[in-house]
Structures are given as structure tokens and as C-alpha cells.
Amino acid sequence: PENHRAIWRQNPDALIARATDYSPCLGRFVCRHLEVNSNPRATYSMLKRLLEVAPVYGKTTIDAACAEVLRRDQINADALRQILDRGPKKLPRPEPQQAPPPSENIRGAGYYSEDGDAA
């Protein structure tokens, strides 16, 4: 029956599995939300609402927002919603690496010069 399926969907293991299937960071967020909140029904409601709006934000944005919430240790739906509304912080770009020194196989400009070459 439907009421039995509703209770099964609120099972903590099922919630974590459903969230992890969507995104690894969302799975970690749901796991922490269950630890902090200890109310599977509230976590189920939060996850259900989040997955309903997931197409609006996209998987990458939700994953980044969950990572930011976990990094801040603000394990609640309001913090996640605020980060999604403003957009997660962009990670700093890595510094460009210096080019490797030229190898011996590079001929250079002297090879192509036409001085004294009668072709």
C-alpha cells in the first residue's frame, strides 16, 4: 500500500541512497542532516523539495552548494536554500603552470632561415 511505501521512503538508509544516487555531496549532506536532525520525516521532506527543484539548479550547482554547506558545517535546509539562491562560491582558478623547457627536438628559427641555402 501507498502508506507503507511512504514509510519506506523515509527510512534513513533509503534517503541516503536516493541522495547519493543524485550526487555524492548531496548524499553526505543528507547523512549529516539525519545525524543533526534525527528526524527522517523532516529529512525526507527537505530532500523531496530539493529534488523537485533540482532541474532548475542543475546537478553541478547542487553538488557545489552541498559541498559548501558541509564545509561551513551549516547542516540545515535554509542554509542550503540560501546558497542555491545566491549561487555557490566559485573555486579559485589554479595558477597557470610554466611551460616546460624546449626539448632538443625543436629545430628553432635557425633551421628555417634561408641564408646561404640554395634550394
Side-chain angles (χ1 to χ4, degrees):
E2 178 57 33
N3 60 342
H4 287 235
R5 282 182 274 167
I7 294 299
W8 179 83
R9 286 190 301 256
Q10 293 175 17
N11 175 341
D13 294 334
L15 290 173
I16 293 168
R18 184 174 177 198
T20 304
D21 285 345
Y22 185 80
S23 147
C25 277
L26 181 58
R28 288 192 298 273
F29 173 74
V30 166
C31 186
R32 288 281 294 131
H33 193 273
L34 284 167
E35 289 173 5
V36 170
N37 208 0
S38 69
N39 183 357
R41 184 171 289 171
T43 303
Y44 171 74
S45 298
M46 181 268 311
L47 180 61
K48 182 180 173 189
R49 286 190 306 273
L50 182 61
L51 292 177
E52 286 171 357
V53 299
V56 173
Y57 295 107
K59 188 179 281 193
T60 305
T61 303
I62 289 178
D63 204 42
C66 288
E68 189 172 332
V69 166
L70 289 168
R71 183 181 51 77
R72 291 179 176 185
D73 200 29
Q74 294 179 326
I75 312 300
N76 60 60
D78 291 333
L80 184 60
R81 193 173 311 112
Q82 288 173 358
I83 290 172
L84 285 171
D85 288 344
R86 72 158 168 74
K89 288 185 179 178
K90 301 221 184 307
L91 296 174
R93 289 185 174 184
E95 293 293 322
Q97 297 179 357
Q98 291 184 345
S103 73
E104 295 174 11
N105 292 333
I106 296 179
R107 294 182 180 129
Y111 179 84
Y112 294 102
S113 69
E114 295 181 14
D115 295 341
D117 189 19

